[in-house]
Amino acid sequence: MSSAELPPPDHASASESGEQPDSSWPAIDHERREWVPAAAMGVRAARAGRASVAYDASVPPMIASRHPVLLPEVAADADEAAAELARFDAELGSRVAGFAPVLLRSEAASSSQIENLTASARAIFSAELGAKGSRNAELIAANTRSLQAALDLAEQITPASIAAMHRVLMESQPRHTPGEYRREQNWIGTRGDSPVGAEFVPPHHERVAALINDLAEFAARWDVPSLTSVAIAHAQFETIHPYTDGNGRTGRALAQSMLRYRGVTRNVAVPVSAGLLADVDGYHSALTAYRAGDPNPIVRAFASAAFRAVSNSRELVSDIDTVRGSWNDRLTARRDSSAWRLLDIFASRPVLDSATAAGALGIAQPNVYPPLKALVDAGIVRSKAEHKLGPFWRSEEILEALDAFAARAGRRQRV
């Protein structure tokens, strides 16, 4: 049975499930571990005696059967935010095919920007076609593929589906063992040589598998309100930090998968990360509060992010509609020309090569050049040769709308 067929409502109570809710969410615990620096290994170290230092690693609580109890106003905001996400998703209706691609890439770009990976819309779409001009754009394109995998795998939330998201994200970086849990201690902070004094030290790698199994059980439940479940599962994932790299992007892909699993979004990936991007410091502070035993800030952060994302996405849809409408007046090709069908394709994929354009139209590649030329002649798209890849055609207007979306979602400046 798919998730969409499951009937339980968001507001099933703890008493209905036969379990009593916790009065407070448990904080992480800690355990003392020994860190052996790489420089302390080898022949010299064996002679001198192995040098090691003690540090405290986190021990996150198991949450599979726990019920979060939130402040009433936070719970209400989360419910309304989930409803707003669902409304926007439904609004697109039959137009989802046109907007799903740009919204998916907007989510990928925003999630990546939280990790300080930025690139223009043009660079991202070009990277998907094989352009090698921007390493950041290539990483964001990989994040797009990871998000698509998250949506494709949303019928079930399992350790295997989470691993698949990470595998797709990191497939070009084998040193980070895509889809495999880390086999070493990691940490968050400025020091690169030791977890001692780090801002946050995730659990020891021996604990990761059991913690992810537990997280997947929590994420698959239906008796916790949808956005509350998404926010807490995301925070727990970031606390576990199960991989050597890509944890933030994978954790936000998990959030999109859970929104689809719970039926909040059925058609598009609403770029919630764009909402989080507006207050990255607040997002990180909310994760810290979660680890201290207070889930309210992270649920509030996701609710606020959802409202901001929907507002920004509506503006993006309006901008693209305006551009697309103007093209009808500018194109003078015959009514039976494939150029007219190309307009909708460029509105959703503003950078194309001839093979992609021909495939989208279902015609032979040599036959796509005349309609592409018609769009160039009308000033709707431009053509430029890419190094070793031949010409790309791009709509500057749609790319500008996407970059404007990113600018609206950008980090707030500290004052």
Side-chain angles (χ1 to χ4, degrees):
M1 180 180 289
S2 72
S3 60
E5 298 172 309
L6 295 173
D10 263 0
H11 294 284
S13 69
S15 60
E16 289 171 338
S17 70
E19 298 181 63
Q20 293 301 311
D22 297 320
S23 58
S24 63
W25 197 257
I28 60 172
D29 204 346
H30 295 87
E31 64 180 355
R32 185 54 58 102
R33 290 278 184 169
E34 292 295 317
W35 168 255
V36 181
M41 299 180 183
V43 176
R44 287 188 191 173
R47 290 174 183 161
R50 252 176 110 181
S52 65
V53 293
Y55 70 96
D56 290 329
S58 300
V59 181
M62 296 293 185
I63 65 171
S65 61
R66 292 186 178 275
H67 293 266
V69 177
L70 302 176
L71 296 171
E73 60 271 23
V74 173
D77 284 349
D79 289 347
E80 177 55 28
E84 184 70 359
L85 288 170
R87 278 192 292 270
F88 175 71
D89 184 87
E91 282 172 13
L92 293 180
S94 61
R95 300 196 301 158
V96 64
F99 287 104
V102 293
L103 291 172
L104 182 71
R105 285 157 182 82
S106 296
E107 167 64 15
S110 298
S111 180
S112 299
Q113 191 173 347
I114 293 173
E115 309 299 326
N116 294 312
L117 297 171
T118 61
S120 68
R122 174 186 171 184
I124 295 167
F125 278 93
S126 297
E128 292 184 7
L129 296 175
K132 301 294 184 182
S134 167
R135 177 58 176 164
N136 278 3
E138 292 176 40
L139 294 174
I140 295 169
N143 198 14
T144 302
R145 294 191 294 271
S146 177
L147 284 164
Q148 187 59 61
L151 299 179
D152 293 342
L153 295 165
E155 188 169 326
Q156 290 184 310
I157 307 296
T158 65
S161 67
I162 296 170
M165 299 172 207
H166 185 262
R167 187 177 305 113
V168 173
L169 175 69
M170 306 301 291
E171 63 183 351
S172 66
Q173 302 178 65
R175 69 184 183 280
H176 290 299
T177 58
E180 297 180 18
Y181 299 140
R182 54 184 167 85
R183 300 185 188 87
E184 60 192 51
Q185 182 66 65
N186 57 358
W187 60 90
I188 299 171
T190 55
R191 290 193 62 170
D193 61 338
S194 167
V196 177
E199 293 175 19
F200 174 68
V201 181
H204 191 268
H205 52 277
E206 293 173 353
R207 294 184 176 274
V208 167
L211 284 164
I212 291 294
N213 290 342
D214 174 79
L215 167 62
E217 287 185 40
F218 175 86
R221 286 167 50 186
W222 279 73
D223 60 336
V224 177
S226 56
L227 199 62
T228 297
S229 178
V230 169
I232 288 178
H234 172 76
Q236 182 76 354
F237 181 88
E238 298 307 321
T239 298
I240 299 167
H241 239 60
Y243 304 111
T244 58
D245 193 22
N247 292 286
R249 285 165 287 166
T250 303
R252 289 182 289 277
L254 172 62
Q256 289 291 340
S257 189
M258 289 182 64
L259 288 170
R260 182 65 57 91
Y261 171 76
R262 292 295 295 267
V264 176
T265 58
R266 299 175 183 273
N267 302 301
V268 297
V270 183
V272 175
S273 291
L276 294 172
L277 184 61
D279 187 8
V280 174
D281 290 342
Y283 166 53
H284 289 154
S285 295
L287 290 173
T288 299
Y290 172 83
R291 293 162 187 156
D294 185 1
N296 286 283
I298 193 63
V299 175
R300 185 184 290 113
F302 265 77
S304 298
F307 286 124
R308 285 192 291 261
V310 169
S311 176
N312 198 356
S313 297
R314 283 198 174 106
E315 190 167 349
L316 174 62
V317 168
S318 176
D319 289 346
I320 291 176
D321 278 344
T322 298
V323 171
R324 174 64 185 84
S326 74
W327 291 348
N328 292 331
D329 299 327
R330 290 150 63 183
L331 183 61
T332 58
R334 299 189 320 271
R335 296 308 303 179
D336 61 349
S337 170
S338 294
W340 291 98
R341 287 195 290 147
L342 270 178
L343 295 180
D344 288 335
I345 295 168
F346 271 107
S348 63
R349 291 285 303 274
V351 180
L352 295 173
D353 58 15
S354 58
T356 306
L361 291 172
I363 62 177
Q365 190 170 343
N367 296 334
V368 82
Y369 293 104
L372 284 170
K373 183 177 184 302
L375 266 59
V376 172
D377 291 344
I380 292 171
V381 302
R382 293 182 180 180
S383 175
K384 181 181 179 182
E386 295 288 337
H387 182 59
K388 296 183 179 179
L389 294 174
F392 283 4
W393 288 262
R394 64 181 186 272
S395 163
E396 300 289 359
E397 294 166 298
I398 299 297
L399 292 172
E400 287 172 3
L402 289 166
D403 285 338
F405 171 95
R408 291 192 299 270
R411 296 169 184 250
R412 291 176 181 166
Q413 298 297 317
R414 290 185 180 179
V415 295

